[in-house]
Amino acid sequence: MTARTPRLSRLRRLTPGRGDDGAGRSGRRRGATPKVVALGGGQGLSASLAALRRITGDLTAVVTVADDGGSSGRLREELGVLPPGDLRKALAALCGDDDWGQTWARVIQHRFQSEGDLHGHAVGNLLIVALWEQLGDPVQALDLVGKLLGAQGRVLPMSAVPLELQALVRGHDPARPEDVDTVRGQATVALTPGEVLSVQVVPSDPPAVPEAVAAVLDADWVVLGPGSWFSSVIPHLLVPELLDALMETKARRVLSLNLAPQPGETEGFSPQRHLEVLARHAPKLALDVVLADEAAVPDRESLADAAKRFGAAVELAPVARQDGSPKHDPELLAAAYDRIFRMHGRIGPWR
């Protein structure tokens, strides 16, 4: 038991009861919508949210706050705020498929093109930061943006302070391929030509957003990934209170793997190697299911062995778009999640 456990215990007392009364593991009546929390950042989290909003009406996104590139990096440096970019992308992914939702999704994703200071800034980034300054509360501001957009879920930052990502990288300088250097900044880590060995965040013990911790503790399912492995997925495990919540929650935990290695960050990684580096950063974390695209797993036995170390079963499903791009199809991914929730859960069916 860690020194942070008492605080988590207090948060658990603030969440609804989770005793199993025969109606299911959370005590909810059969037919209730599952509470799902999705953790990640960037396009990977957006793909997961676009799928999950199709199968649950109780969805919370917990988003990384280590981005230091582009519009987010400029706003972070100039104003000292949390980087809004990944939060904006999550909100856009939660917009409905009707005219209102899709119009607002396009608006907040719109980037100005100019020769001046506004060039490259996303409308949604400016809106989010403006509300942060008006309200002085990041969570309240994001809830208000979500209400404006008609978002089908809630978006929360994982930490209350902007984080710096640092990585140990072998061969970051191609002229010194065997040297290990400390590389700083999410944008630099994501594009390194070297081999990322490990990552950490600065500060090393960042405060978690209480609402994010409470959401994980009260969830029926927690989904981690897909996304940039070292810069969007693993950082959630480096926020101590959030990691404690992930280990203590009664929710079932799904790890959703990427469709292909990412140039630079995970170049040459097999599906099982993704699990191996995850285990190095959070050796006590348990999982229930590892989801992978069936066409992206050349060695199913090795992936199954790697998943067993987490106590997890492997589910293979066609979740990629049919155009050959390494992107998830939201309908296929939704079907895979829905099947996992039904097969591995004890509180379904929900529809």
Side-chain angles (χ1 to χ4, degrees), residues 285-307:
L285 180 66
L287 299 170
D288 294 282
V289 181
V290 173
L291 171 63
D293 184 80
E294 56 188 7
V297 182
D299 186 346
R300 299 186 179 189
E301 184 175 347
S302 293
L303 179 58
D305 287 342

Side-chain angles (χ1 to χ4, degrees), residues 148-213:
L148 170 67
L149 304 180
Q152 299 173 12
R154 192 182 195 192
V155 174
L156 299 169
M158 71 175 185
S159 178
V161 298
L163 305 178
E164 179 187 71
L165 193 69
Q166 293 186 358
L168 291 179
V169 180
R170 179 185 289 116
H172 178 66
D173 182 351
R176 298 180 291 110
E178 297 303 319
D179 288 0
V180 175
D181 296 309
T182 298
V183 176
R184 294 176 172 82
Q186 182 271 336
T188 305
V189 171
L191 297 175
T192 180
E195 177 190 1
V196 180
L197 304 177
S198 65
V199 290
Q200 62 181 28
V201 293
V202 178
S204 60
D205 190 8
V209 168
E211 292 87 347
V213 173

Side-chain angles (χ1 to χ4, degrees), residues 11-19 26-28 35 58 214-215 217-219 250:
L11 281 168
R12 296 184 77 157
R13 288 197 293 270
L14 296 175
T15 60
R18 301 191 57 79
S26 67
R28 296 188 184 90
K35 289 188 175 184
D58 198 334
L217 291 173
D218 192 43
K250 296 184 184 298

Side-chain angles (χ1 to χ4, degrees), residues 11-79:
L11 281 168
R12 296 184 77 157
R13 288 197 293 270
L14 296 175
T15 60
R18 301 191 57 79
D20 194 335
D21 61 1
R25 76 162 32 217
S26 67
R28 296 188 184 90
R29 63 177 177 82
R30 291 180 64 84
T33 298
K35 289 188 175 184
V36 181
V37 177
L39 293 81
Q43 297 302 325
L45 177 61
S46 294
S48 206
L49 294 175
L52 288 166
R53 68 176 171 81
R54 287 167 161 79
I55 60 175
T56 181
D58 198 334
L59 178 58
T60 301
V62 179
V63 185
T64 54
V65 287
D67 189 8
D68 62 351
S71 171
S72 288
R74 291 158 61 192
L75 290 168
R76 171 178 174 167
E77 182 178 2
E78 182 174 345
L79 301 174

